[in-house]
Amino acid sequence: MAEILLHSPLTGWCLPLDDVPDPVFATRMLGAGVAIDPTDGLLAAPCAGTVAVPGDRRHALTLRLEGGIELLLHVGIDTVRLGGQGFTLDVRDGQRVQAGDALLRFDLDIVAREAASLITPIVAGPAGVVTVSQLRPPGPVRRGDALLRLVPASIAAP
């Protein structure tokens, strides 16, 4: 199994997880990665994978990748309380997607007014299965730019 290159799923401002205003993400409890403060409302697939949508939630989804790697894409902070308002899924649970495919759309104004933050964590895990290398420094990022490199543990060991 080879390394997986992740492309930015959003256009906006790339920032480290340390700057995410939620301790679950900032302390990497769910995995390592980055966050993006979006400037548009389209979340695209950063790589090929199989979509997992938890229940009726529309603010977050997981892509299942090779080797047991899971990539969580969580639009905004405390967005679960919106109950799906302002979010539209473009995919269904179990759907196979390719890099660049539209995953979900969200209304920036609604999310900005109703959620704690628009900052969107992108985290890979579980720990011990994958090593994450950031390719993009903090700053502006466009959807499709190289963002992260995921190295499965099976090839990361010397």
Side-chain angles (χ1 to χ4, degrees):
M1 180 175 22
E3 296 178 355
I4 300 168
L5 177 63
L6 297 186
H7 299 275
S8 181
L10 295 160
T11 295
W13 190 266
C14 183
L15 54 133
L17 286 180
D18 296 335
D19 294 347
V20 174
D22 182 319
V24 171
F25 293 107
T27 61
R28 293 160 183 74
M29 289 176 67
L30 299 177
V34 297
I36 298 174
D37 195 355
T39 56
D40 73 12
L42 172 63
L43 179 79
C47 63
T50 301
V51 175
V53 180
D56 61 352
R57 298 189 177 142
R58 290 181 263 172
H59 68 282
L61 54 82
T62 299
L63 285 182
R64 293 195 172 116
L65 314 179
E66 294 180 44
I69 298 170
E70 294 193 354
L71 184 67
L72 173 64
L73 305 158
H74 192 285
V75 177
I77 302 300
D78 292 336
T79 45
V80 68
R81 65 188 174 121
L82 276 76
Q85 177 190 4
F87 294 91
T88 304
L89 283 174
D90 289 326
V91 293
R92 66 188 182 294
D93 190 53
Q95 182 176 336
R96 182 83 180 147
V97 295
Q98 299 301 314
D101 289 351
L103 299 175
L104 67 86
R105 297 169 200 277
F106 55 99
D107 185 307
L108 284 171
D109 291 333
I110 290 172
V111 178
R113 280 194 316 270
E114 302 295 329
S117 173
L118 281 166
I119 292 174
T120 299
I122 300 143
V123 297
V129 172
V130 63
T131 300
V132 178
S133 299
Q134 187 168 343
L135 298 175
R136 188 121 201 126
V141 64
R142 297 181 56 86
R143 188 174 27 262
D145 287 349
L147 185 66
L148 298 172
R149 179 177 291 120
L150 305 182
V151 181
S154 60
I155 65 171

